[in-house]
Amino acid sequence: MFKRVLIANRGEIAIRIIRACREMGIETVSIYSVPDQHQLHVQMADQSICVGPAQAAYSYLNVASILSAAVLTNCDAIHPGYGFLSENPDFVRAVEACGITFIGPSADVIEQMGDKSAAKKCMESNGVPTVPGSDGPVATLEEAIKVCREIGFPVLIKASSGGGGRGMRRVDKEEEVRSAFDSARSEAKACFADDRVYIEKLILNPRHIEFQILADHLGNVVHLGERDCSIQRKNQKMLEESPSLFLDDDLREKMGTVAIRAAKACGYKNAGTVEFVVDKEKNFYFIEMNTRIQVEHPVTEMVTGIDLIKEQLRIASDLPLSVKQDDICMRGWAMECRINAEIPQKDFTPSSGEILFLHEPGGMNIRFDSLLYTGGEVSPFYDSMIGKIIVLGNNRLEAIRKLRCALEETIIEGVQTNSAFQYTILHDPDFIRGQFDTGFMEKKKDALLSLMVLEE
Ligand code: ADP
């Protein structure tokens, strides 16, 4: 096992990884940008090194600086968390060139899965169902129109290197293809320095259901059930749960088997997520594979009792998985809501500042993963997600009740958050009945906003 791990990230995920390392007797080195000097991840690690100024491009994305920090502190491995450099194959290659282990899959797999249309092709040729669409990237408007005619409207134009819902456009009729094609391409170029786009059929009102997998270097691949992440705003997840009310045991088994096949098809090692959209008739289609730990991983941990970060560390140090498929059983119902520092009434614009007071939720099977502490700073420079509340109930209704109570207990003063907004979702009759799809937020947002109890 590793002796010392550098965590190339910040915020709640850096803290999450530090905790797992500590429990395993592994020393930790954190990195930080100049304004992050007093962040919790810096205080909790055994050592910390400043890697640059506020702008992520010069600090948390600064490969040379991060590698110098790792080499100087004698780290034998680097955990990338999510975001930042976690899905950057060049970073992985540079890490390995320094003789350091990257805690994640190989650079080649990250590269292949990061090209979403190439990933789809790989899946198709291995019998994994994918959304009907173009055969690879579409280079010209004429070709785009031709593909749209073939598959029929509505369609989605998606960035090949996409992520976070960016570079994605819905098109309902032929007249809209030109402007959507151009704007998807320019957004893709701006966000990912890659303007390639592909087209797929828009599945109407689907559920977003993803499977967590783990794969070790001995050829063992298991799945840990699903997460339903259909509650999204602008294609970004807000509230997640496991299991999903939408799956019965048969479909779970079927999708889990396909997820394992998907992982094997690309020679995947470490923890990963196979994402599907599922239509009303319960047909499921692969949309992408995420080659890193995900924000919503704790819901899987809560229902399976398996620590995914520890498994990542085991896999990366060539140990076998600590569990076999038959040992994995899902118990109860887990639900997570993301706490973002943002102002829902102002179109969810980010909020930042000093935390003047904090009261964390507590109680049986209630978990609060966050970067917050009284006197700490919510930075304007990085992602607005400041924490996650995750609960485990015996059943779905108990999980909803627990999560409501946890939100009632949570007091965060100094920045505005979306917690009252999340609270209204947990009272929505359709949400409670489990009748929702990825269109939930668009349909309900205004009504939920008007129900929100305004925070002082
Ligand atoms: P990103 O990598 O940018 O997050 P994804 O491919 O994972 O993009 O898609 C993000 C979300 O967009 C999905 O969770 C789903 O809600 C929606 N989506 C993606 N592809 C389709 C599709 N073909 N039909 C309907 N919805 C889709």
Side-chain angles (χ1 to χ4, degrees), residues 347-374:
D347 199 26
F348 299 84
T349 49
S351 165
S352 58
E354 188 190 338
I355 298 300
L356 304 172
F357 179 81
L358 172 70
H359 184 265
E360 300 191 8
M364 183 174 168
N365 292 331
I366 291 176
R367 168 172 166 184
F368 187 56
D369 278 19
S370 96
L371 55 73
L372 299 171
Y373 69 95
T374 302

Side-chain angles (χ1 to χ4, degrees), residues 405-430:
C405 292
L407 280 168
E408 283 164 9
E409 270 186 43
T410 307
I411 303 173
I412 301 166
E413 283 177 6
V415 294
Q416 296 203 55
T417 76
N418 64 345
S419 86
F421 186 75
Q422 293 279 32
Y423 192 69
T424 62
I425 298 175
L426 296 170
H427 288 81
D428 180 84
D430 288 332

Side-chain angles (χ1 to χ4, degrees), residues 116 131-132 156 158-159 161-168 192 198 200-209 229-230 232 234-237 275-277 287-288 290 292 438:
K116 290 165 63 171
V131 187
L156 266 185
K158 299 171 83 169
S161 299
R166 279 165 307 182
M168 203 186 286
F192 315 109
Y198 63 106
E200 64 186 28
K201 180 108 190 132
L202 179 89
I203 305 297
L204 282 174
N205 306 321
R207 303 282 278 229
H208 171 115
I209 295 180
C229 312
S230 303
Q232 308 180 346
K234 297 192 171 166
N235 296 320
Q236 300 236 25
K237 298 161 190 167
E275 294 193 337
F276 300 98
V277 283
I287 49 171
E288 67 165 339
N290 286 316
R292 54 171 156 82
T438 57

Side-chain angles (χ1 to χ4, degrees), residues 127-342:
V128 174
T130 62
V131 187
S134 61
D135 183 27
V138 174
T140 62
L141 177 65
E142 292 67 40
E143 200 185 334
I145 292 172
K146 188 166 164 272
V147 172
C148 292
R149 282 185 186 151
E150 271 162 27
I151 59 176
F153 292 99
V155 303
L156 266 185
I157 302 181
K158 299 171 83 169
S160 296
S161 299
R166 279 165 307 182
M168 203 186 286
R169 294 288 182 280
R170 175 184 171 147
V171 189
D172 289 286
K173 42 184 188 289
E174 195 160 320
E175 300 84 271
E176 296 168 4
V177 178
R178 177 190 289 271
S179 70
F181 183 69
D182 290 344
S183 75
R185 286 207 338 174
S186 57
E187 189 170 306
K189 188 163 176 79
C191 296
F192 315 109
D194 174 5
D195 69 356
R196 290 174 309 149
V197 295
Y198 63 106
I199 300 179
E200 64 186 28
K201 180 108 190 132
L202 179 89
I203 305 297
L204 282 174
N205 306 321
R207 303 282 278 229
H208 171 115
I209 295 180
E210 57 186 36
F211 273 72
Q212 176 71 52
I213 63 106
L214 288 173
D216 66 19
H217 291 275
L218 304 165
N220 302 305
V221 186
V222 298
H223 78 81
L224 289 88
E226 77 278 14
R227 296 185 284 258
D228 191 325
C229 312
S230 303
I231 305 294
Q232 308 180 346
R233 193 181 73 85
K234 297 192 171 166
N235 296 320
Q236 300 236 25
K237 298 161 190 167
M238 288 186 71
L239 210 152
E240 303 95 348
E241 59 187 290
S242 181
S244 167
L245 259 187
F246 205 58
L247 303 195
D248 55 25
D249 286 343
D250 277 355
L251 186 53
R252 177 171 301 114
E253 169 79 27
K254 213 159 124 192
M255 290 179 75
T257 306
V258 168
I260 289 176
R261 197 187 313 148
K264 286 185 174 165
C266 60
Y268 201 87
K269 303 286 176 304
N270 217 285
T273 300
V274 186
E275 294 193 337
F276 300 98
V277 283
V278 188
D279 70 14
K280 291 274 175 288
E281 283 75 45
K282 313 231 166 160
N283 300 304
F284 60 91
Y285 308 92
F286 169 91
I287 49 171
E288 67 165 339
M289 178 149 191
N290 286 316
T291 55
R292 54 171 156 82
I293 195 73
Q294 285 192 275
V295 173
E296 61 273 22
H297 77 276
V299 292
T300 299
E301 296 185 324
M302 295 291 257
V303 287
T304 61
I306 295 166
D307 185 319
L308 290 170
I309 307 287
K310 286 187 186 169
E311 292 300 322
Q312 286 196 293
L313 289 158
R314 284 179 64 91
I315 296 166
S317 60
D318 287 339
L319 289 167
L321 295 179
S322 73
V323 283
K324 298 201 168 33
Q325 191 68 58
D326 290 344
D327 304 334
I328 299 167
C329 59
M330 293 164 79
R331 193 185 64 82
W333 209 284
M335 206 171 269
E336 167 183 282
C337 77
R338 301 186 183 200
I339 304 296
N340 296 337
E342 62 189 14

